[in-house]
Amino acid sequence: MPDAPDAFGIYVHWPFCRAKCPYCDFNSHVRHAPVDSRAFASALIRELTWFRGETGPRRVSSIFFGGGTPSLMPPAAVGAVVEAIARLWQVAADAEITLEANPTSVESGNFAGYRASGVTRVSVGVQALDDVSLRALGRQHSAAEALAAFRLAARLFPRVSFDLIYARPGQTVEAWRRELAVSLGEQQGHMSLYQLTIEQGTAFAGLAAIGALHLPDDDLSAALFETTQEMTAAAGLSAYEISNHARPGHECRHNLLYWRYGDYVGVGPGAHSRLTRDLGRRALSAERHPESWLHRVREARHGIIEDESLTEAEEASERLLMGLRLVEGVPASALSRAGVTQARLQELASHGLLALSPERISATAAGRQLLNAVIRELLRDSESFNNRPRSGPAAVQSPSDRWA
Ligand SMILES: C[S@@+](CC[C@H](N)C(=O)[O-])C[C@H]1O[C@@H](n2cnc3c(N)ncnc32)[C@H](O)[C@@H]1O
Ligand code: SF4
């Protein structure tokens, strides 16, 4: 897969959405008064400028506008942020510039403007291909609108992807097979297929707690995951990460950089950054509340509320948490630095959850399905893991967590 080890990315968070989806615990907010996009774009540029002072000159290999819903940004605001990044750092001629888009017709009306602003890749949040499921997921678009938006994006951008959520309430393997077959007919080289997770504090968590969501049991979840692996592989779009599938060469370079534990600057409310310095890694995170973040940036030139140096063990376990999501896994040397013993590795390999070679350790498809539990086991003896925060980039998301 592409990219040199010195890849450097920039993440830009747009924290606003039209409506809050009942399953989503991302840092996304609904405002009933119009959002002052100019003020937020200026603050993003102000924070980028502060970060330039921290990183010094670097070559940007990818930029990612994520959210929230960045397709609610006026194209001029996206253009201003891209231009500011190019003024502050050198941007590689072949840099990947991704924007996450929700597929309402209003937002797809912005696509041509995003392309003109330098965006090279759009990731469309299709989520489901039938209107009943889309309503149950609280989405603001129909399946027809979502497909029209994706097809328009495919005509305008060199690279496109779309997201689907499966293991939805009431979904059968047969229904998912049909939906995935249609999706595989539409895809253009990359798809993100997320198994629905019930996140604390969401509307779905409340419904699940009172038994009002008919969620797949463990066996059905496993069957849905396996179906996904088989059908995507047969179509030439194997998984390269737990939930991400691509034709070779079409992987998302920005996300690969996270999973390979490269350096990145994150700007906007709640964004995280990881920067290498002489003595280990620096981990920064910003105020999550959008207007409080805006106020901080105006006052202090940045919205950072946490700025710490990771210990060697913390860094090693983060590298593992990210890297084992990838099919390619991590270099074997990363394991010993994280305090993982040979006995634990052998035990997990004997359960068919890890594949071991002298150079690399990777999770098998079965292991990736149960990655949270595999990582818990691997790092059971590691102090830094047991004391780590339960949220933020060190937290693992895996489609299922059945192995114990
Ligand atoms: C946070 S959203 C941002 C993109 C855009 N706002 C959208 O909704 O399409 C990124 C992706 O995360 C996925 N996602 C968010 N919450 C999830 C959950 N609880 N379970 C599974 N996937 C989830 C959705 O597929 C979504 O496309
Ligand atoms: S899934 Fe996307 S649109 Fe829905 S609340 Fe989360 S970020 Fe917003």
Side-chain angles (χ1 to χ4, degrees):
M1 282 186 276
D3 266 336
D6 63 346
F8 173 62
I10 302 214
Y11 175 78
V12 181
H13 191 76
W14 192 258
F16 302 111
C17 293
R18 275 176 203 283
K20 185 78 184 172
C21 303
Y23 53 86
C24 177
D25 78 338
F26 281 70
N27 189 27
S28 58
H29 304 258
V30 178
R31 295 286 175 264
H32 295 295
V35 168
D36 186 345
S37 303
R38 264 174 197 268
F40 275 90
S42 310
L44 289 167
I45 293 169
R46 194 168 161 78
E47 197 174 44
L48 283 163
T49 309
W50 178 80
F51 266 109
R52 171 62 175 79
E54 303 299 301
T55 65
R58 300 230 18 197
R59 186 166 173 276
V60 176
S61 45
S62 60
I63 301 172
F64 194 103
F65 288 86
T69 305
S71 52
L72 294 176
M73 285 177 85
V78 171
V81 171
V82 172
E83 274 171 30
I85 293 171
R87 269 196 311 276
L88 293 164
W89 291 273
Q90 184 201 347
V91 176
D94 66 344
E96 173 191 271
I97 306 183
T98 302
L99 184 136
E100 284 183 332
N102 284 31
T104 70
S105 48
V106 177
E107 289 159 80
S108 53
N110 283 338
F111 285 1
Y114 296 142
R115 181 70 190 111
S117 299
V119 171
T120 62
R121 182 175 180 275
V122 161
S123 168
V124 182
V126 172
Q127 317 307 0
L129 287 181
D130 74 276
D131 291 343
V132 173
S133 300
L134 287 170
R135 270 195 296 280
L137 290 172
R139 302 293 293 181
Q140 307 291 303
H141 53 85
S142 65
E145 253 182 310
L147 279 182
F150 178 70
R151 290 174 186 156
L152 173 66
R155 286 199 295 278
L156 289 172
F157 296 91
R159 288 198 172 188
V160 284
S161 174
F162 64 89
D163 295 1
L164 291 178
I165 296 180
Y166 69 101
R168 306 191 298 258
Q171 194 175 34
T172 61
V173 172
E174 264 325 298
W176 174 232
R177 269 189 179 284
R178 283 195 298 274
E179 188 172 3
L180 188 52
V182 175
S183 309
L184 285 165
E186 293 284 337
Q187 56 78 24
Q188 298 288 327
H190 192 288
M191 295 169 90
S192 302
L193 304 171
Y194 298 108
Q195 205 158 349
L196 176 67
T197 52
I198 302 302
E199 305 291 350
Q200 266 180 17
T202 60
F204 270 11
L207 291 175
I210 58 166
L213 271 192
H214 180 55
L215 290 167
D217 62 17
D218 288 348
D219 288 338
L220 179 52
S221 292
L224 289 163
F225 181 79
E226 279 147 25
T227 300
T228 307
Q229 307 314 302
E230 279 162 28
M231 287 182 65
T232 52
L237 235 77
S238 294
Y240 67 98
E241 189 266 352
I242 301 173
S243 312
N244 282 280
H245 300 255
R247 266 204 312 271
H250 284 246
E251 299 85 2
C252 173
R253 288 171 63 185
H254 187 83
N255 286 336
L256 270 181
L257 177 142
Y258 293 146
W259 296 318
R260 288 175 175 165
Y261 208 44
D263 274 11
Y264 57 92
V265 156
V267 290
H272 294 265
S273 306
R274 287 289 179 280
L275 298 174
T276 302
R277 57 179 170 199
D278 289 348
L279 289 175
R281 278 204 139 201
R282 182 174 174 195
L284 305 96
S285 52
E287 162 64 44
R288 286 171 63 84
H289 183 265
E291 287 75 15
S292 309
W293 170 85
L294 186 68
H295 181 70
R296 276 178 181 272
V297 176
R298 284 180 169 156
E299 297 280 305
R301 298 171 52 229
H302 64 76
I304 302 303
I305 53 168
E306 276 175 14
D307 184 351
E308 54 176 354
S309 289
L310 300 178
T311 64
E312 205 180 332
E314 282 170 338
E315 189 185 330
S317 44
E318 274 200 357
R319 189 181 295 275
L320 202 61
L321 289 166
M322 302 308 281
L324 283 182
R325 301 176 63 98
L326 287 171
V327 170
E328 69 182 20
V330 294
S333 56
L335 277 288
S336 50
R337 268 186 268 130
V340 177
T341 60
Q342 275 302 321
R344 282 233 184 277
L345 284 177
Q346 296 298 342
E347 186 197 342
L348 288 160
S350 72
H351 282 94
L353 298 167
L354 287 182
L356 313 179
S357 85
E359 294 80 33
R360 296 193 79 81
I361 314 291
S362 55
T364 59
R368 287 196 300 282
Q369 196 188 355
L370 308 170
L371 194 62
N372 280 351
V374 170
I375 301 235
R376 253 201 318 275
E377 264 313 288
L378 270 178
L379 295 178
R380 199 195 274 194
D381 314 314
S382 157
E383 227 173 87
S384 68
F385 180 75
N386 292 322
N387 297 333
R388 84 198 193 288
R390 294 281 150 188
S391 62
V396 194
Q397 257 199 340
S398 99
S400 168
D401 201 4
R402 291 184 315 139
W403 192 82

